[in-house]
Amino acid sequence: MLKQSHRATLSLLLFVLPAFILYLLFLVIPMLQGSYYSFTNWDGLNKSYSFVGISNFIEAIRDDANFRNSILFTGKYVVFAVVLQNGLALLLAMLIESQRRAKGFFRTIFFMPNMLSIIISTFMWVFVFSKVMPALSEYAALKFLGISWLGDPNVSFWTIMLVSVWGGVGTLMLIYMAAIQGIPQHLKEAAIIDGANPFHMLRYITMPLIAHALTICIFLTLNNSFKVYDLIFALTGGGPGRDTQVITMNILEEAYQRNFRYGYASAKALILFAIIFIITMIQVTVMKKREVEA
């Protein structure tokens, strides 16, 4: 019996080993190297560099106005992305689940944006905002469509949010639908017999029993929103100016595009990691407590 147990453990380790090696090579080791370089003035090109202690972190937080602005814009984006994507996904999930027919059709329609590459779908939206909207404004006399969707700082954020919600709702909707389908039918029937209205059903039956799905979806949107890059890069390139520059764009600009300050960029990346880690831990802890209470 003991030998069989050892064989099972060995076979498990053999199956896990390739994935663990890849995880070690492409995630853990680069992260440790980046943490090391964040305390240096390395430019990413030369072999020589010197240690500068925590001066990179002090400069990023105290002296770098562009970095602080990118943090503020990223925070704004994260708040709206989490609220709008989860709110709309939950609403769509409940509406589709309430239908008796064509559930598969609606699932396919709303999930379809997730089947496209982010870059391809974003360039499609760039064409819509830069060519289609002005044409409609001119030929259909819809003057409000002629605004600068990507060039006006007051409008570009909401343009980004529109594309972000369009592309992010599908996956969350499926998770919420799966959770709603897992609610025991007898609980719904008992609540209806007791005279519960739709609001009571949502508050006391649906929301408590899909709390685990809510935790997962908020975690996913938080993680993806903090790391967003390709969507905003393809839409606005961080412009006009730096008005829509997120943290990831600021870090890559510092390391590769303008200043070639790899050590300084690594310090910014560590700050981003700390922000994501702290907020994620708070979110998971609070949501898990609510799951237990439910």
Side-chain angles (χ1 to χ4, degrees):
M1 184 66 69
L2 187 61
K3 290 183 179 180
Q4 290 181 351
S5 175
H6 282 307
R7 287 179 181 176
T9 303
L10 182 60
S11 62
L12 178 63
L13 290 175
L14 288 175
F15 278 112
V16 172
L17 187 60
F20 177 76
I21 292 174
L22 292 176
Y23 179 80
L24 195 68
L25 289 176
F26 294 104
L27 186 64
V28 176
I29 293 177
M31 186 174 68
L32 293 176
Q33 286 180 326
S35 301
Y36 170 77
Y37 288 128
S38 67
F39 297 98
T40 71
N41 62 357
W42 187 41
D43 61 3
L45 300 173
N46 297 316
K47 293 183 178 181
S48 61
Y49 57 85
S50 58
F51 286 92
V52 295
I54 61 172
S55 61
N56 285 334
F57 297 91
I58 295 174
E59 180 183 351
I61 296 172
R62 186 185 64 186
D63 303 326
D64 196 332
N66 291 329
F67 183 60
R68 291 198 302 270
N69 291 335
S70 70
I71 291 176
L72 292 175
F73 180 81
T74 303
K76 180 182 177 182
Y77 174 83
V78 168
V79 170
F80 280 95
V82 170
V83 173
L84 294 178
Q85 288 186 23
N86 282 279
L88 184 58
L90 181 57
L91 178 62
L92 289 173
M94 291 190 294
L95 289 175
I96 294 174
E97 280 301 311
S98 66
Q99 302 298 314
R100 294 186 177 180
R101 298 179 180 179
K103 287 185 180 181
F105 171 77
F106 287 114
R107 280 198 298 262
T108 303
I109 290 296
F110 288 111
F111 186 74
M112 195 172 294
N114 295 83
M115 300 172 66
L116 300 173
S117 165
I118 293 178
I119 294 296
I120 293 175
S121 61
T122 304
F123 278 125
M124 176 189 72
W125 278 105
V126 170
F127 175 79
V128 170
F129 290 127
S130 61
K131 301 295 183 181
V132 177
M133 292 298 188
L136 287 176
S137 173
E138 181 178 353
Y139 294 110
L142 300 174
K143 298 299 183 184
F144 68 94
L145 295 179
I147 61 176
S148 180
W149 293 89
L150 301 174
D152 187 342
N154 297 320
V155 180
S156 55
F157 173 77
W158 300 108
T159 304
I160 291 170
M161 288 312 309
L162 172 64
V163 179
S164 175
V165 171
W166 174 82
V169 160
T171 301
L172 304 178
M173 180 195 69
L174 292 182
I175 296 174
Y176 284 128
M177 288 181 68
I180 292 172
Q181 291 172 3
I183 298 176
Q185 188 64 30
H186 69 271
L187 292 179
K188 300 179 183 179
E189 295 172 353
I192 294 173
I193 293 172
D194 290 338
N197 58 38
F199 175 76
H200 291 148
M201 291 283 292
L202 176 64
R203 180 179 179 183
Y204 297 108
I205 301 295
T206 303
M207 294 306 296
L209 293 179
I210 66 168
H212 61 288
L214 196 62
T215 301
I216 294 171
C217 289
I218 292 179
F219 172 81
L220 290 175
T221 46
L222 272 174
N223 190 40
N224 293 333
S225 299
F226 270 114
K227 297 188 300 184
V228 65
Y229 176 83
D230 42 9
L231 184 147
I232 296 178
F233 178 78
L235 274 177
T236 66
R242 284 191 172 92
D243 288 330
T244 60
Q245 187 181 71
V246 288
I247 302 177
T248 51
M249 296 181 69
N250 184 274
I251 292 171
L252 288 175
E253 179 185 76
E254 197 70 56
Y256 302 112
Q257 297 173 1
R258 292 191 180 184
N259 301 323
F260 295 98
R261 298 179 64 189
Y262 191 91
Y264 184 47
S266 297
K268 290 183 176 182
L270 270 186
I271 294 173
L272 174 60
F273 171 78
I275 293 172
I276 296 175
F277 179 78
I278 292 171
I279 293 178
T280 301
M281 290 302 296
I282 293 173
Q283 178 258 323
V284 172
T285 302
V286 171
M287 298 296 293
K288 284 295 181 181
K289 286 183 178 178
R290 289 185 177 273
E291 287 183 34
V292 172
E293 291 173 359

